[in-house]
Amino acid sequence: MVKLNVNGKMHQVDVEPDMPLLWVLRDHLGLLGVKYGCGVALCGACTIHVDGAAVRSCVMPASAAVGKQVVTIEGLAEGGVHRLQAAWIEHEVPQCGYCQTGMIMSAAALLTEKPKPSDADIDKAMTNLCRCGTYTRVREAIHAVAAGPASSAAAKKVGG
Amino acid sequence: MNINRRGFLKASVALGGGLLLEFSFPVAAKAAGGMAATEVNAWVVIHPDDRVVVRIARSEMGQGTYTALAQLVAEELDCDWAKVSSEFASPNEHIRRKRIWGSMSTGGSQGVRSSQDYVRKAGAAARVMLVNAAAARWKVSAAECTVERGVISHGPSRRTLRYGEVAAEAARLEPPKDVVLRDPKNWKIAGKSMHRFDIPDKVMGKPVFGVDVVLPGMLHASVAQCPVFGGTLKSLDAGAAEKMRGVKKVVREADFVAVIADSWWRADQALKQLKIEWDAGTNGTASTASIMAMLREGLADPNLPQARKIGDTDAALATAAKVIEAEYSSPYLNHATMEPQTCTAWLKPEGFLEVWTSTQNGEASMAAAAETSGLPLEKVEVHKMMLGGGFGRRGGPQDFVVQGVKIAMSMPGTPVKMMWSRQEDMQHGFYRPASVVRMKAGLDARGNLIAMHTRIACPSILKVLLRELPKEGIDFTAVRTLSDMPYTIPNQQVDYAMRNGHVPVGFWRAPGQQNAFYRESFIDELAVAAGRDPIEFRLAMLKTADKNRLVLEAVAKAANWGAPLPPGVHRGLAVADGFGSYTAMVAEVSVTPGGEPRVHRIVVAIDSGHVVNPDTCRAQAEGNVIFGLGSILYQENNIRNGRIVESNFHDFRLPQISEMPQVETVLVPTGGFWGGHGEPAILPLPAAICNAIFAATGKRIRSLPLKHHDLRKA
């Protein structure tokens, strides 16, 4: 049994302590926004927040998250639309979209640390891999959020 | 029904092709939330509250077809775009209704261009039927009625009806025989950068992908395939694995094993504990070197079939003032979709098989599932999920469906979700073929190109993947861009050596795109040898009306060709037509003193005839640049002991955000034809970048990736 705080809720999960957080979230807690891409922390599709820091959940054992705050894309805005998600919609960032939840979680952690990141900051923090080529728009959307509130029109498109 | 898997595969590579429209068989669509929606025709479903649902036959992998096709339907339907959404057409219903939605294949940049005619007609036909229904209710002539944004008006009596109010009556009317389509000049919905429908769910992390399927009681499977292509399972000791937590079953098949467990991680952990002995078969000693030797042996074959023959190259080369020769080559490449191959299958107690998968061809998936299960097509349904990348991997080959179905058939009644590990995905692809090309060209005394003889050795995708012997020994995907080049060189010959080897090959974004690298790099070599400007050299060989001219001129203007650049930055240029469009590109590149190439800016001009969603087209150009850049800088798949060497993103690198060049896309649609956008911009990229590297370093790049070249100044 592993006790985890995920998106503000406590869960008792009957898993091995060494099961990577990624699989606890996906297969045991049904949080499917977090993605498997490589299994060895190379691609960042599995990025979540643990105590506010961007973490690659495919290599973090469940036991390492005990007593910490785990946040997934589903909990990023507590049922609403995070300003990064609104900007992602406004700038039409995703193509296939598979890597994008991890990309957004990395961007959110970056903005917490550096509210006005430079291009160099983005280059350093955003090491998530995207095969479709959304990088230009990822950068634009991060700068747009850093510059000010994203338009509410995009948030409406999500339908709450 | 005379439908088989091969038929779908063949259809997936057929170019264009007309479709007989069937506007008949209206059936009530599934009711959503009480009041029944009406299917006016196969493409158009209208709800009583005027919401319009457009059925989409092609798959969505981020290229935007799911939205662009709805734009075309809505344009002709003349409805309120704010009330439009899309849904995938059901492959099972598609077969029952005699393939009413046309091709489901999503490749070759054909999603829009090969569907546009019939989907626009579907939208227009629905509009006519809706107007006729309103006119009938009012007992007036339809000619007196007008439509705007889903509201039908009868001017003389000042009456109006909404689409939602007459849809049920419209569906019972005879479809019109002929419809008049709007002139694209007057488009209001098509041609605009509408927001893509699929983006909000993807951004919110909704479970839309193949790997996200969850079903009651569902189990998970991880797979190990024989690492040597063509090999088989010799023995398996599953004793330890079967006792591991959560493990339900170990599946033994001829060329793969799978562990089924209650979570994917547990399945994969157990898979690693299996003691597997493979029989490598006859391919266990193949290597990159042996494959390159096989290709070079092909180039030496004196009896190759000719893919193009104009004039007499031998005679012309004998008279040339200068003869230039070069050999170019490319490695195998995996698609490396971010979402690994996956398939969820469920053999239900009543003998009906349901499949959920990320597929580029829903009907090919269905045929593969039917063939594997032995069930008739009528007893199979495929749910098309959003693809976490496709790039050609998930269309022709349906190996993941075959596997997923075999695994689920071993546990009747239980849904099983199969997903490959990254390593499995990297080592069991259908690779972009490795190829070697020799080119020999002659310039006359004034520096005009008078002859070009090309010999291409390349595995045939059509032969290996589709098992179709190409006509006269020529696979068009292996020779194009060279066999159909637009340059008016008076003497041309292209020979093709089909050398297949044992590595599975497939359609990798813009199949045959290696040839654009070879051709446009070699043309650059010739321009340098002739002492001519690379644009002027090309323009002199293009006919006045050739659209390659137009994009070359457009890109030269947009990139300010010839104007000074910052110190150390150099330009390279290339042009290529393919996938229905014409594309020219200028790359601005510098090379550090340490020999590291850096691509700063890409300017690309594309003429696709028409543009349905400009922003999506720009996104595809950006995507082609980064997809191509990885293959130019780093990527290759090597063979050792018959198997793929690379296993994950550490040895098959993808560029990061820090390596993304600025991309400026210039859309120059000239109308009159429909070209694609998913692939064209990758065609000129390698040559544009490598020509810039030549300008920067004096080093001519004739093989990729660049990581093998020492780019430091000599």
Side-chain angles (χ1 to χ4, degrees):
Chain A
M1 273 301 174
V2 178
K3 233 173 139 176
L4 292 172
N5 182 325
V6 181
N7 297 332
K9 272 181 22 197
M10 287 306 297
H11 296 268
Q12 289 260 13
V13 203
D14 186 14
V15 297
E16 301 82 326
D18 62 337
M19 182 184 285
L21 210 42
L22 166 67
W23 297 109
V24 179
L25 296 169
R26 279 188 64 82
D27 289 350
H28 294 269
L29 296 178
L31 294 165
L32 295 155
V34 57
K35 296 292 189 271
Y36 167 87
C38 69
V40 288
L42 287 168
C43 78
C46 65
T47 305
I48 57 166
H49 295 170
V50 177
D51 281 352
V55 161
R56 301 207 165 169
S57 64
C58 72
V59 292
M60 185 182 215
S63 57
V66 173
K68 297 181 175 168
Q69 304 275 336
V70 175
V71 174
T72 68
I73 189 79
E74 290 88 351
L76 184 62
E78 288 169 12
V81 179
H82 190 273
R83 58 203 176 116
L84 275 166
Q85 291 169 315
W88 245 245
I89 293 166
E90 192 62 35
H91 290 260
E92 297 273 305
V93 176
Q95 285 185 32
C96 90
Y98 192 79
C99 71
Q100 295 295 324
T101 49
M103 201 71 87
I104 290 168
M105 296 307 281
S106 291
L110 168 64
L111 289 179
T112 305
E113 204 189 315
K114 291 196 168 144
K116 304 264 180 216
S118 65
D119 277 335
D121 294 331
I122 292 174
D123 284 351
K124 199 162 160 247
M126 299 297 294
T127 54
N128 302 52
L129 299 180
C130 168
R131 188 75 168 130
C132 296
T134 61
Y135 294 137
T136 304
R137 290 159 190 247
V138 166
R139 188 186 298 282
E140 280 170 11
I142 292 172
H143 281 315
V145 169
S151 96
S152 57
K156 276 188 205 137
K157 281 181 193 303
V158 180
Chain B
M1 240 179 286
N2 181 25
I3 293 167
N4 60 44
R5 185 165 152 219
R6 295 266 306 286
F8 288 131
L9 296 179
K10 269 184 269 178
S12 73
V13 290
L15 292 172
L19 180 86
L20 199 64
L21 260 188
E22 292 179 71
F23 286 122
S24 49
F25 313 115
V27 293
K30 279 177 211 146
M35 297 246 274
T38 302
E39 178 183 301
V40 180
N41 62 38
W43 281 269
V44 178
V45 175
I46 299 182
H47 288 259
D49 62 1
D50 298 337
R51 279 179 298 128
V52 173
V53 180
V54 180
R55 298 249 180 77
I56 306 293
R58 311 276 179 174
S59 300
E60 178 61 50
M61 45 192 163
Q63 84 281 25
T65 309
Y66 192 66
T67 309
L69 291 177
Q71 284 180 258
L72 287 172
V73 172
E75 178 66 51
E76 298 295 339
L77 182 62
D78 200 344
C79 60
D80 180 358
W81 178 249
K83 292 180 179 163
V84 178
S85 62
S86 291
E87 69 177 24
F88 289 121
S90 143
N92 179 285
E93 194 178 335
H94 183 52
I95 299 305
R96 279 194 285 112
R97 295 171 72 178
K98 299 175 181 151
R99 303 189 75 221
I100 193 165
W101 285 288
S103 175
M104 289 197 160
S105 164
T106 314
S109 302
Q110 307 221 24
V112 168
R113 65 188 173 113
S114 296
S115 318
Q116 53 82 19
D117 181 63
Y118 54 81
V119 303
R120 287 193 295 152
K121 283 178 179 160
R127 186 194 68 237
V128 170
M129 291 158 77
L130 289 157
V131 171
N132 287 346
R137 197 192 283 186
W138 291 325
K139 298 189 172 60
V140 300
S141 159
E144 291 174 6
C145 300
T146 57
V147 180
E148 201 180 347
R149 283 162 56 101
V151 179
I152 306 155
S153 304
H154 182 243
S157 64
R158 295 189 174 188
R159 281 176 294 185
T160 61
L161 277 169
R162 293 176 294 101
Y163 276 2
E165 295 175 291
V166 292
E169 289 149 69
R172 288 192 287 270
L173 297 178
E174 193 68 23
K177 293 251 181 324
D178 289 308
V179 288
V180 180
L181 298 179
R182 281 204 176 137
D183 185 330
K185 283 194 205 79
N186 302 322
W187 280 350
K188 291 177 286 190
I189 296 171
K192 305 284 187 285
S193 291
M194 299 304 187
H195 280 283
R196 266 171 44 209
F197 291 147
D198 53 319
I199 284 183
D201 279 355
K202 290 175 174 178
V203 165
M204 299 309 290
K206 296 273 171 64
V208 297
F209 299 101
V211 295
D212 295 339
V213 172
V214 175
L215 296 162
M218 183 181 81
L219 297 173
H220 303 257
S222 185
V223 168
Q225 298 159 88
C226 179
V228 179
F229 305 110
T232 50
L233 179 64
K234 197 170 166 186
S235 72
L236 174 68
D237 174 0
E242 275 168 344
K243 292 189 194 81
M244 287 173 72
R245 186 172 175 192
V247 172
K248 306 290 180 188
K249 195 182 178 91
V250 175
V251 180
R252 295 159 171 81
E253 289 284 341
D255 57 353
F256 76 90
V257 296
V259 175
I260 302 174
D262 60 2
S263 91
W264 188 82
W265 185 76
R266 285 174 180 157
D268 195 54
Q269 290 295 105
L271 189 78
K272 288 171 185 157
Q273 297 306 316
L274 294 176
K275 292 187 183 71
I276 312 170
E277 217 185 325
W278 300 105
D279 178 353
T282 55
N283 302 316
T285 59
S287 65
T288 301
S290 73
I291 287 161
M292 294 307 275
M294 169 192 76
L295 294 171
R296 292 206 170 90
E297 174 281 316
L299 292 180
D301 187 338
N303 301 309
L304 293 180
Q306 293 169 357
R308 174 171 260 198
K309 171 100 172 128
I310 298 170
D312 184 337
T313 48
D314 286 349
L317 284 167
T319 70
K322 221 182 226 180
V323 173
I324 316 280
E325 278 187 87
E327 181 191 285
Y328 283 75
S329 64
S330 302
Y332 289 110
L333 284 177
N334 191 303
H335 300 78
T337 57
M338 289 307 296
E339 178 189 40
Q341 304 316 303
T342 180
C343 175
T344 303
W346 185 3
L347 181 63
K348 294 190 158 171
E350 65 270 26
F352 192 89
L353 178 67
E354 278 194 79
V355 172
W356 291 257
T357 190
S358 306
T359 176
Q360 284 178 246
N361 188 341
E363 51 186 339
S365 297
M366 196 167 132
E371 199 174 283
T372 306
S373 64
L375 291 167
L377 283 166
E378 292 80 359
K379 299 262 184 189
V380 179
E381 177 64 297
V382 170
H383 303 275
K384 300 199 302 181
M385 305 300 291
M386 292 287 169
L387 285 71
F391 317 115
R393 174 61 180 88
R394 308 183 204 255
Q398 293 289 326
D399 53 326
F400 48 95
V401 172
V402 172
Q403 258 182 26
V405 169
K406 280 183 180 169
I407 291 167
M409 297 289 285
S410 80
M411 291 197 92
T414 303
V416 184
K417 176 160 71 179
M418 179 280 288
M419 186 191 81
W420 290 2
S421 66
R422 173 58 56 195
Q423 177 171 335
E424 207 59 30
D425 198 88
M426 185 61 71
Q427 301 188 335
H428 295 277
F430 285 78
Y431 301 83
R432 193 277 305 269
S435 74
V436 182
V437 162
R438 276 194 202 127
M439 291 178 283
K440 188 172 182 182
L443 297 164
D444 69 11
R446 285 170 312 217
N448 295 314
L449 180 49
I450 55 167
M452 187 162 148
H453 185 179
T454 305
R455 292 167 82 77
I456 303 168
C458 180
S460 163
I461 301 171
L462 300 185
K463 173 77 175 165
V464 175
L465 177 61
L466 307 186
R467 286 174 236 121
E468 283 285 305
L469 185 66
K471 206 171 137 197
E472 289 151 6
I474 309 281
D475 181 338
F476 75 97
T477 70
V479 299
R480 65 181 170 199
T481 315
L482 285 159
S483 63
D484 53 2
M485 57 176 179
Y487 299 129
T488 56
I489 305 161
N491 302 284
Q492 297 181 39
Q493 187 173 325
V494 177
D495 307 325
Y496 174 52
M498 181 174 76
R499 294 295 184 276
N500 291 331
H502 81 298
V503 177
V505 292
F507 302 105
W508 190 92
R509 198 170 199 166
Q513 88 297 115
Q514 310 95 302
N515 292 344
F517 164 54
Y518 306 148
R519 184 189 92 186
E520 289 297 296
S521 299
F522 191 57
I523 291 287
D524 203 69
E525 290 196 52
L526 298 172
V528 170
R532 292 168 65 179
D533 174 83
I535 291 195
E536 179 273 323
F537 187 67
R538 287 174 172 84
L539 287 175
M541 299 189 291
L542 290 168
K543 289 179 186 150
T544 319
D546 194 320
K547 288 179 189 293
N548 286 293
R549 281 189 87 86
L550 181 131
V551 288
L552 263 176
E553 285 162 350
V555 83
K557 187 165 167 244
N560 220 356
W561 183 260
L565 285 165
V569 180
H570 296 265
R571 287 192 187 95
L573 169 106
V575 64
D577 56 311
F579 307 92
S581 295
Y582 302 83
T583 311
M585 188 177 277
V586 171
E588 294 175 5
V589 179
S590 64
V591 177
T592 66
E596 295 292 320
R598 178 83 212 191
V599 183
H600 301 278
R601 181 177 178 234
I602 296 287
V603 183
V604 53
I606 307 174
D607 180 2
S608 59
H610 296 288
V611 171
V612 178
N613 188 315
D615 188 66
T616 299
C617 295
R618 281 190 281 270
Q620 283 305 298
E622 292 157 18
N624 273 296
V625 167
I626 205 73
F627 195 85
L629 189 61
S631 71
I632 294 162
L633 295 174
Y634 311 118
Q635 294 158 6
E636 60 187 331
N637 284 114
N638 287 290
I639 313 298
R640 194 188 301 141
N641 299 328
R643 61 195 72 186
I644 296 287
V645 173
E646 294 75 17
S647 62
N648 208 318
F649 296 128
H650 65 289
D651 52 10
F652 189 93
R653 270 184 67 184
L654 309 190
Q656 295 188 350
I657 197 168
S658 57
E659 295 163 276
M660 179 81 200
Q662 181 188 340
V663 179
E664 286 174 41
T665 308
V666 185
L667 301 172
V668 284
T670 54
F673 68 100
W674 293 75
H677 278 274
E679 295 157 295
I682 205 170
L683 295 174
L685 185 80
I689 289 174
C690 293
N691 292 343
I693 285 172
F694 176 79
T697 64
K699 295 187 177 184
R700 182 60 67 183
I701 305 302
R702 299 193 185 91
S703 68
L704 293 173
L706 286 171
K707 70 177 179 186
H708 294 310
H709 295 271
D710 180 359
L711 298 181
R712 289 172 299 180
K713 278 208 177 110

